């Protein structure tokens, strides 16, 4: 009986070790690429010069994005009037970034809290987004939400 118990223990140890080696190999093969930039790594910082009906790329730099820029970048939400769809190689859709309504300026001053409107329309805006370097975007589509709540593409901007 002692020999049988030793064999069972040895077999169990070999089985556990072989499983742990295989699981480590699987984990090491998978690499997760984040789609949001972070302040510690370089990213494409893309500045758009926009009006309600026309956008153009003003500047593209590779740098570490600052915290203020990163706070503005978010996935699409119900509050966004405009969105920037990001496309990669072979015109493959990657994701959309919500940019709110950059053509409505709000003011936040003490003494204006009782006003019905806390801002007003503006005719142009500079919009900045940060995209991690591994994404390698090839084009963007600017979309605007219509009165039914659906996004309608208003312009495509390509670069290579």
């Amino acid at each position: 009986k002692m020999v049988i118990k030793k064999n069972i223990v040895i077999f169990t140890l070999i089985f556990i070790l072989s499983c742990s080696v295989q699981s480590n190999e699987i984990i090491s093969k998978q690499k997760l690429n984040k789609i949001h930039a972070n302040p510690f790594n370089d990213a494409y910082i893309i500045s758009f010069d926009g009006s309600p009906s026309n956008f153009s790329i003003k500047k593209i730099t590779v740098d570490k994005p600052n915290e203020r820029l990163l706070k503005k970048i978010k996935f699409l939400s119900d509050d966004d009037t405009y969105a920037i769809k990001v496309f990669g190689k072979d015109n493959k859709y990657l994701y959309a970034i919500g940019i709110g309504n950059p053509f409505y300026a709000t003011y936040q001053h003490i003494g204006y809290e009782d006003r019905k409107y806390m801002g007003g329309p503006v005719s142009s805006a500079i919009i900045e987004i940060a995209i991690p370097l591994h994404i390698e975007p090839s084009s963007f589509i600017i979309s605007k939400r219509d009165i039914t709540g659906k996004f309608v593409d208003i312009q495509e901007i390509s670069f290579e």
Side-chain angles (χ1 to χ4, degrees), residues 14-49:
I14 291 172
F15 179 74
I16 290 172
L17 289 174
S18 67
C19 288
S20 68
V21 169
Q22 285 181 341
S23 66
N24 286 340
E25 287 177 11
I26 292 170
I27 290 171
S28 65
K29 287 180 185 177
Q30 295 177 348
K31 182 181 176 192
L32 295 176
N33 288 322
K34 296 185 178 186
I35 58 175
H36 279 299
N38 67 58
F40 309 111
N41 296 327
D42 284 345
Y44 294 109
I45 298 175
I46 302 160
S47 297
F48 294 93
D49 191 2

Side-chain angles (χ1 to χ4, degrees), residues 75-85 96-100 141-154:
F75 286 120
L76 207 52
S77 74
D78 291 340
D79 297 333
D80 292 311
T81 305
Y82 288 86
I84 299 175
K85 296 177 186 174
I97 299 171
I99 58 172
I141 291 183
I142 312 299
S143 301
K144 182 180 180 186
R145 194 180 300 268
D146 65 9
I147 57 172
T148 65
K150 294 182 180 179
F151 278 98
V152 177
D153 297 343
I154 59 173

Side-chain angles (χ1 to χ4, degrees), residues 120-139:
V122 294
S123 60
S124 66
I126 303 295
I127 299 104
E128 282 189 328
I129 61 171
I131 298 176
L133 291 178
H134 69 270
I135 296 288
E136 298 180 11
S138 63
S139 66

